[in-house]
Amino acid sequence: MAKIVVQNLTKIYGDEPRKALELLRDGYSKEEILTRTGQTVAVGGISFEVKEGETFILMGLSGSGKSTVIRCINRLLEPTTGSICVDGKRVEEMDKRELRAFRGQKIGMVFQQFALFPHRTVLDNVAFGLETKGVPKGERYERSEEILVRVGLAGWKAKRPDELSGGMKQRVGLARALAVDPDILLMDEPFSALDPLIRNEMQEELLSLQQRIKKTIIFVTHDLGEGLKLGDRMAIMRDGRIDQTGTGKEIFSHPANDYVAKFVQKVDVTRMLTAEEIMIQPGEILNLLEGPQLAIRKMELCDTDYIFVIGRDRKLKGIVWVKDALKLAEKGEKGIQGILKQADTVHPTTSIEDIYLRMGRTGRSLAVVDGGGNFMGAVTARSILSLLAEGRKGP
Ligand SMILES: Nc1ncnc2c1ncn2[C@@H]1O[C@H](COP(=O)(O)OP(=O)(O)OP(=O)(O)O)[C@@H](O)[C@H]1O
Ligand SMILES: [Mg+2]
């Protein structure tokens, strides 16, 4: 279900928006409108929906209108025209009282610049939103301390912002937004000012936090890699308009125009693939009831030194290595139970990056197993190599 619906949103800076709107309707560009009227079209009529629990990315170069959109959603800026619905309620029609409740409870915002109170402690900064909501002091601090633990700042509550690093300040900002437990988080380039390592760390933490808290998030970034990593879907903005909306994969495989194609071509597409998409069906697999002789023959057939073993129920039971099977066959044993080893497994949705890491460590093939333990396929060194070869050819 759509949590946020934005329709035909425009925001024009200047004292004669009507003139600019007319030209906009007639198809004039942002630049032409500026020269003719002196009005800046920050947002030139955009529509999109964000689903409940989704992380939606607004992506675009500097000046494309991302911050303006996000600030119209909680009406830090008044839209010039258009409508914004949150949970079916029109934000632009809210009166002062409704707006205060909306901002205080439903929506939290994290900015690029930390926007912390310099003279307050970390704890007081986090508790600020609860204070304005009239939550009693004891409860306020209790909740804020909990949130500080969640964002990894438990020991820092008595410090002041200038005693913290950039990454930590941003955690305080996030904690402050989360303290009031809003349904929606608006995040405007929250990690852009951080250096790459800290930034990566913060991204990972947001991902794992989001798995637990499942907020609806609009996340602004001009970094495509960050957008792909964090987002379920994204909108690519240019000059106040949206060129394309979709999942990263959709946008990569079918860019709507040359601009989008250029914008995304820098990113390595293979990075977005998952185990499910690169796995192969092994030439042979062994049934739990089959013996070492057959195991050896099957391994010879597919020229491997291992074979995955499954039960009648298609569930993965383990792996058998050829050296163990040979020993067993020599002894004349019939069952393979004794040499069955635990196989390295990955989930169908495991990212290629994680697969690289896992295989890099062991060099072994990985069995792809779903949540129910069913064997789905295998990721082998060969499947990775062929993928790299394909990548070479280019799109
Ligand atoms: N207060 C303002 N008055 C006039 N024009 C403004 C104002 N704020 C923004 N603009 C203009 O509106 C357009 C969109 O700005 P906005 O800040 O939304 O872009 P952005 O995509 O967030 O950029 P950045 O990545 O640099 O943050 C720009 O052309 C900008 O110059
Ligand atoms: Mg901005």
Side-chain angles (χ1 to χ4, degrees), residues 62-63 65-68 71 112 188-189 220:
S62 185
K66 309 176 298 291
S67 295
T68 304
R71 281 157 189 266
Q112 174 178 5
D188 192 353
E189 307 216 31
V220 167

Side-chain angles (χ1 to χ4, degrees), residues 13 30 40 42 61-68 189 222:
Y13 287 107
K30 175 175 172 170
T40 302
L61 300 178
S62 185
S64 56
K66 309 176 298 291
S67 295
T68 304
E189 307 216 31
H222 57 252

